[in-house]
Amino acid sequence: MKKIVLFLLFSFQFSFSIDAQAPKKPTSGEIFESIKKLNFLGTVLYIAAHPDDENTRLISYFSNDVKARTAYLSITRGDGGQNLIGSELNELLGVIRTQELLAARRIDGGEQYFTRANDFGFSKHADETLEIWNRKEVLEDVVAVIRKLKPDVIVNRFNHRNAGSTHGHHTASAILSLEAFDLASDNAYKTHLTNDVIWKPKRVFFNTSWWFYGSEENFEKANKTNLLSLEIGTFYPSKGLSNSEIASLSRSQHQSQGFGSTGSRGNQTEYLEFLKGDFPVNKNVFDGIDTSWNRVAGGKNIGIILQKVEQEFDFKNPAKSIPALVEAYQLIQQLNDEHWKECKSEEIKNIIATCAGLYLEAVTDNSSTTKNSKNIIKIEAINRSNTEIYLNSVTVNPLNITNSNRTALINNKPYFVTIPIDITDKIKETSPYWLIEKSSLGMYQVSDKNLIGLPETPRSILVDFLIDINGTVIPFSKEVVYKHNDPVMGEVYKPFEILPIISATFSEDVYIFTSDNPKKIALKIKSVKDQVSGKIKLNIPENWKVLPELYQFSIDKKGEEKTFEFEMISSSKQTEGFISPIIEIGDKTYTNKIVEINYNHIPFQSIVMPSEAKVVRLNLQKRGQLIGYIQGAGDVIPSSLRQIGYTVIELSEDEIIPDKLANFHAIILGIRAYNTNDRAKFYQKHLHDYVAKGGTLIIQYNTNARLKVDTIAPYPLKLSSNRVTEENAEVRIINPTHEILNYPNKISKVDFEGWIQERGLYYPNEWDANFEAILSMNDQNEAENKGSLLVAKYGEGTIIYTGLSFFRQLPAGVSGAYRLFSNMLSVGKNKVEKPIKN
């Protein structure tokens, strides 16, 4: 028995960590839990601001213990955060974090929704947040989700009453939810929904804890008459896991944020503070709400049948439940309540299929294709029960290609059929719907209102199966997928994607010109079909030149790549602009690139985006040449520094030794290096010795949480959560004569123009007298902050600590950030160059 339990546990974990596209194959225990959920008609909506804000313990509890339909509405997609697993930022990070949320929901049993709000970075006040977001549109999105989902209960992650004391996005999410709670039942308020039917949730709560009271002691003393306590430490024998263990597996899907979580066991309590609606007299979340089938007109007989199915379920032969389940399915189709009819139809269809071991799949011969192309879909259908099942037809939609060969699905005998398809011009290309149009700082623009709120774009090609089970025809719909066998991973699934014929990608996002010398611009093109030929040229800014003006190209095979080099001469004046490719194939023009996102914990993603690169003519001087870089949480600063002529060597932990370090003119620690590098406490002494002997060490921002070292620097330095979020906040120069502001580039206030998203983050608030503060800045109505750039002599060398967000500014081609960073690397080199050792 122990081996079986261990296998189930491993299977549960493995199925979600390796390939999120693989079809679910539930055990009989999980089927039984689904039947219990089928008998519960109640819904909870959890609301917060970002991916990773949600309380996965509570979502899992409502979904797996209470059996409620449970959803998480994340106001944003987390586009403004940092990325611990790769270099993707902004909208690409939003794509990753969207998929991480979907992976989390596949584990904890919830559903996922979003608004059109763009995560523009840290905000210090809800007023600022709601000003940058389009408050009217985001509120409409929240109301639309409520009306669509029809939750009985809403739970806020954050407190609506503490604006200004925490992240503005957090407070704003709670404020909007309370406004939406009232508006959802207002007949006069209209949303973008086609079926815009009002809904009145029963009550709304705030998911509080001792943390919001300042301490556990304060929480113990607090009046709890308005609080509900929930015991959420349930153990689920059918899964071999506790609720908290499931929640930890779910939480651990937020890999880009570094939120790996260790499961726990035993009793755990969550608290809900009642805010608005009908007070739950019996201290039950669903108090006064009929969560049985009796809440639906015509549902009584359905409930009687399904209660019997639950009571008589045979774990060794789930197929015994199929006749009764089919009978209940028929009754559900007769319901007038369209909401519960739609919701429970999908649930019971999936249960019937899993009880029969009915496996339906549609697989293509390619992971991607283009419009006006021919493809093949291989259909597999198998019934692994003695139930009488027929496959009446298979239809590929929206192409309306049907195979109507009625076929008996005999127990454990697979049926295969191959269907050729032509992808027409009318089929939409694959792309995240919120990225198709140009966004603003605070909002994504979505013209197709039917898509608003969805976590991702519905797939273009679906296969509909009409299955006859005991004389009742039940439709099933499957996305078309691609799968192959990987020698290491085994069976690997990918989504089937419709892409442009050609992708054109510059080798760099930014090209920096520091002289009149020409620079090579490499453009890689990749074909998504066989036999493609055409012309390539570049769209360039005024007063810039490029040679050659035109390339002819021809590609024979799909997936083949070719790189073309252009020689670009910059404007003679300091300026900046953008270049983009123009690819002519026949009578059509292509200007996009295809960005592939490929991580094991989320499905493969292809993102179609405008292809462009920033070009900057920059008046910049530098000293030193060989730079060592120790990566932290991930950034592209090494590539950025190579753009201005530095030789940057990225050092592994084993290479951080005295003899190796002595070769470098400067060493840079990547963002959060002291948070992410476990061996930092061992090699830090070598870095300090390197400085003492004359080196320059630049330490970029770290956080107090999970520091791997005892001290940040050889002198006392205390980190804080202080940051300056206004990218145009005034920067005041404290000591205008300091070397770092004068050599080799004269730094002035002009160099702080054009910064993006923020000035910086996690500034120190206390430091040793050996450090000298260089700059002063603050957000509006806040105290002066001098911790953004600190410089100290240590022995013969220099240590620099900076919370300035160079990791955002350099990839964005911000001129002043390059000039200041070059000065930081040049500190101490105004007399003699340090020779490179052999």
Side-chain angles (χ1 to χ4, degrees):
M1 184 64 185
K2 184 181 291 185
K3 290 183 179 179
I4 295 175
V5 172
L6 288 174
F7 175 77
L8 289 177
L9 175 58
F10 177 76
S11 298
F12 183 83
Q13 293 172 311
F14 186 83
S15 64
F16 293 108
S17 62
I18 294 300
D19 199 334
Q21 285 290 313
K24 293 181 179 180
K25 301 169 185 176
T27 65
S28 59
E30 290 169 331
I31 295 172
F32 179 67
E33 295 300 322
S34 297
I35 293 171
K36 291 164 67 176
K37 194 177 185 74
L38 184 63
N39 278 322
F40 190 95
L41 280 71
T43 305
V44 176
L45 176 61
Y46 198 92
I47 299 179
H50 311 104
D52 74 44
D53 282 344
E54 81 276 26
N55 184 341
T56 55
R57 295 184 303 274
L58 208 53
I59 290 176
S60 177
Y61 165 78
F62 281 125
S63 178
N64 296 298
D65 196 332
V66 178
K67 306 301 181 188
R69 184 185 184 189
T70 309
Y72 174 42
L73 172 58
S74 179
I75 302 295
T76 76
R77 296 177 185 268
D79 328 73
Q82 285 84 50
N83 183 0
L84 270 68
I85 60 174
S87 59
E88 297 91 350
L89 291 174
N90 303 319
E91 64 271 12
L92 292 180
L93 177 58
V95 172
I96 290 174
R97 299 188 71 188
T98 294
Q99 290 300 323
E100 288 179 336
L101 271 179
L102 288 171
R105 298 295 80 79
R106 283 189 287 270
I107 292 175
D108 58 36
E111 301 174 27
Q112 186 61 54
Y113 295 89
F114 293 93
T115 76
R116 286 169 286 176
N118 192 347
D119 177 5
F120 56 85
F122 191 87
S123 173
K124 293 184 176 179
H125 201 285
D127 291 346
E128 177 197 44
T129 297
L130 294 170
E131 183 178 335
I132 294 175
W133 290 346
N134 184 320
R135 179 174 187 156
K136 178 177 178 292
E137 290 185 354
V138 179
L139 178 59
E140 179 189 335
D141 291 355
V142 178
V143 173
V145 169
I146 293 172
R147 288 182 176 177
K148 182 177 181 179
L149 193 67
K150 302 189 185 307
D152 301 297
V153 176
I154 294 174
V155 179
N156 290 336
R157 183 61 177 129
F158 297 109
N159 191 348
H160 67 286
R161 296 159 295 205
N162 62 350
S165 63
T166 185
H167 197 329
H169 295 187
H170 293 172
T171 311
S173 71
I175 292 172
L176 290 170
S177 73
L178 289 177
E179 292 180 14
F181 179 85
D182 294 326
L183 289 173
S185 59
D186 184 348
N187 268 309
Y189 187 85
K190 303 300 180 184
T191 75
H192 54 263
L193 292 176
T194 302
N195 186 25
D196 196 17
V197 180
I198 64 170
W199 177 253
K200 179 67 174 177
K202 193 75 169 177
R203 53 186 64 99
V204 59
F205 296 98
F206 162 42
N207 181 198
T208 191
S209 70
W210 69 261
W211 188 87
F212 291 96
Y213 287 76
S215 69
E216 293 186 59
E217 183 180 5
N218 289 344
F219 184 64
E220 287 297 323
K221 296 177 182 177
N223 184 343
K224 298 183 177 61
T225 56
N226 220 28
L227 300 187
L228 275 67
S229 62
L230 306 177
E231 171 49 50
I232 55 94
T234 308
F235 173 69
Y236 305 116
S238 63
K239 300 179 184 296
L241 296 166
S242 70
N243 187 74
S244 298
E245 287 172 314
I246 292 174
S248 292
L249 290 170
S250 172
R251 183 75 170 166
S252 295
Q253 298 308 301
H254 295 299
Q255 293 185 19
S256 65
Q257 292 300 99
F259 283 141
S261 176
T262 300
S264 61
R265 289 143 295 279
N267 296 335
Q268 285 192 344
T269 304
E270 287 285 343
Y271 293 92
L272 301 180
E273 178 189 350
F274 172 78
L275 297 179
K276 188 180 284 190
D278 293 344
F279 185 81
V281 178
N282 295 321
K283 296 282 185 168
N284 183 305
V285 169
F286 285 95
D287 184 45
I289 302 169
D290 187 351
T291 58
S292 74
W293 276 98
N294 292 328
R295 80 178 293 176
V296 181
K300 182 178 180 180
N301 288 336
I302 299 171
I304 292 171
I305 294 169
L306 293 179
Q307 281 296 329
K308 189 175 181 182
V309 169
E310 184 178 329
Q311 292 164 6
E312 297 179 358
F313 184 76
D314 188 338
F315 288 86
K316 292 184 178 180
N317 185 12
K320 286 183 179 180
S321 299
I322 291 176
L325 287 168
V326 170
E327 182 183 358
Y329 171 80
Q330 292 171 328
L331 293 175
I332 291 173
Q333 304 319 297
Q334 299 172 21
L335 294 176
N336 292 323
D337 189 319
E338 290 298 324
H339 172 73
W340 286 113
K341 178 181 176 180
E342 179 183 353
C343 176
K344 292 302 179 180
S345 289
E346 287 304 309
E347 284 187 44
I348 198 168
K349 281 164 52 176
N350 290 331
I351 293 170
I352 291 170
T354 53
C355 283
L358 180 62
Y359 185 87
L360 305 172
E361 188 170 72
V363 177
T364 60
D365 53 345
N366 286 291
S367 63
S368 62
T369 192
T370 64
K371 294 182 178 182
N372 299 312
S373 63
K374 297 182 180 297
N375 294 266
I376 292 174
I377 297 178
K378 184 177 181 181
I379 302 297
E380 178 183 353
I382 185 170
N383 163 29
R384 288 168 287 185
S385 74
N386 290 319
T387 304
E388 186 179 278
I389 298 179
Y390 289 86
L391 174 59
N392 282 359
S393 66
V394 176
T395 301
V396 182
N397 282 317
L399 303 177
N400 294 321
I401 300 171
T402 300
N403 181 311
S404 299
N405 183 23
R406 179 176 163 90
T407 304
L409 298 180
I410 308 302
N411 186 2
N412 215 31
K413 184 178 179 181
Y415 169 77
F416 297 100
V417 64
T418 298
I419 302 177
I421 63 170
D422 292 331
I423 306 296
T424 67
D425 259 335
K426 295 181 180 179
I427 301 300
K428 291 183 178 180
E429 291 178 340
T430 303
S431 187
Y433 70 84
W434 63 95
L435 297 181
I436 293 174
E437 302 171 54
K438 187 174 180 60
S439 63
S440 66
L441 173 64
M443 294 294 291
Y444 286 115
Q445 306 305 315
V446 181
S447 294
D448 188 346
K449 304 302 182 185
N450 293 319
L451 298 175
I452 295 172
L454 297 179
E456 56 186 343
T457 310
R459 292 293 164 182
S460 300
I461 310 294
L462 298 174
V463 173
D464 294 327
F465 298 79
L466 283 184
I467 303 294
D468 183 331
I469 302 178
N470 289 344
T472 297
V473 178
I474 302 176
F476 292 88
S477 186
K478 297 291 181 180
E479 292 182 356
V480 178
V481 296
Y482 170 76
K483 71 175 180 180
H484 70 281
N485 184 71
D486 183 273
V488 176
M489 310 279 284
E491 186 179 61
V492 174
Y493 282 77
K494 284 186 177 181
F496 179 52
E497 299 178 315
I498 316 298
L499 300 173
I501 290 174
I502 203 82
S503 169
T505 307
F506 290 104
S507 59
E508 302 288 345
D509 292 329
V510 175
Y511 294 93
I512 306 293
F513 294 75
T514 58
S515 70
D516 292 333
N517 295 330
K519 180 170 283 196
K520 292 188 182 300
I521 307 293
L523 181 70
K524 180 176 70 177
I525 64 171
K526 182 178 180 180
S527 177
V528 186
K529 65 179 295 186
D530 294 338
Q531 302 297 321
V532 175
S533 60
K535 303 174 183 178
I536 308 172
K537 56 185 178 180
L538 295 186
N539 183 29
I540 62 173
E542 188 178 359
N543 297 323
W544 293 61
K545 296 179 181 179
V546 65
L547 294 172
E549 293 184 356
L550 181 72
Y551 275 111
Q552 299 276 355
F553 77 93
S554 178
I555 294 180
D556 294 329
K557 294 293 183 182
K558 174 181 178 178
E560 184 179 349
E561 298 177 345
K562 288 188 177 181
T563 299
F564 296 87
E565 282 194 343
F566 294 86
E567 193 170 77
M568 180 164 281
I569 302 172
S570 71
S571 165
S572 58
K573 297 181 180 179
Q574 179 163 314
T575 185
E576 59 185 49
F578 290 91
I579 58 174
S580 57
I582 302 173
I583 303 179
E584 297 175 357
I585 300 174
D587 60 351
K588 294 187 177 180
T589 299
Y590 298 87
T591 61
N592 288 330
K593 64 179 176 180
I594 301 173
V595 180
E596 296 180 347
I597 296 177
N598 191 11
Y599 294 100
N600 283 340
H601 68 301
I602 57 176
F604 181 90
Q605 301 280 296
S606 293
I607 318 301
V608 180
M609 303 174 64
S611 180
E612 64 177 16
K614 190 174 184 180
V615 289
V616 179
R617 174 58 193 264
L618 177 60
N619 296 328
L620 178 142
Q621 300 294 320
K622 67 182 183 66
R623 298 294 182 269
Q625 181 62 35
L626 189 61
I627 309 299
Y629 201 90
I630 301 170
Q631 276 288 0
D635 57 58
V636 295
I637 286 181
S639 176
S640 299
L641 295 179
R642 293 181 187 115
Q643 279 287 323
I644 56 175
Y646 284 105
T647 302
V648 184
I649 307 298
E650 296 181 56
L651 300 173
S652 68
E653 293 176 348
D654 293 337
E655 294 176 307
I656 307 173
I657 55 177
D659 287 346
K660 185 82 171 180
L661 296 176
N663 289 317
F664 295 100
H665 293 117
I667 301 291
I668 306 169
L669 286 172
I671 58 174
R672 297 177 66 178
Y674 283 155
N675 294 128
T676 60
N677 295 356
D678 288 328
R679 292 189 56 80
K681 60 184 175 183
F682 300 114
Y683 64 64
Q684 188 189 52
K685 60 183 178 182
H686 300 317
L687 296 175
H688 292 171
D689 289 344
Y690 159 78
V691 177
K693 294 176 182 178
T696 298
L697 176 65
I698 298 174
I699 307 169
Q700 296 186 86
Y701 93 89
N702 288 269
T703 69
N704 271 323
R706 301 179 184 176
L707 274 174
K708 309 295 185 181
V709 294
D710 295 329
T711 58
I712 292 292
Y715 302 124
L717 182 74
K718 184 178 179 180
L719 301 180
S720 74
S721 58
N722 293 342
R723 59 176 82 201
V724 177
T725 63
E726 297 169 13
E727 65 269 26
N728 57 355
E730 181 187 2
V731 176
R732 297 173 291 275
I733 295 174
I734 297 174
N735 183 356
T737 63
H738 195 283
E739 176 188 3
I740 207 168
L741 298 176
N742 291 278
Y743 182 82
N745 304 289
K746 177 67 176 178
I747 303 299
S748 67
K749 288 190 175 183
V750 174
D751 290 296
F752 295 97
E753 295 176 358
W755 285 49
I756 64 168
Q757 185 161 322
E758 62 200 358
R759 288 295 188 196
L761 61 171
Y762 297 107
Y763 294 169
N765 59 356
E766 295 180 20
W767 51 85
D768 186 84
N770 284 288
F771 281 106
E772 183 173 357
I774 306 299
L775 305 172
S776 169
M777 60 189 72
N778 54 272
D779 286 327
Q780 291 184 41
N781 302 319
E782 291 195 357
E784 181 181 45
N785 195 315
K786 298 181 179 180
S788 64
L789 182 60
L790 304 174
V791 183
K793 293 294 294 182
Y794 181 69
E796 298 298 317
T798 304
I799 283 189
I800 300 170
Y801 185 90
T802 180
L804 293 170
S805 59
F806 289 108
F807 72 100
R808 295 194 192 279
Q809 312 311 322
L810 298 190
V814 177
S815 299
Y818 273 95
R819 286 164 47 82
L820 179 55
F821 210 99
S822 179
N823 279 18
M824 289 160 56
L825 292 170
S826 302
V827 164
K829 301 175 181 63
N830 55 344
K831 294 181 180 179
V832 62
E833 290 284 357
K834 182 182 177 71
I836 300 176
K837 295 184 178 180
N838 293 326

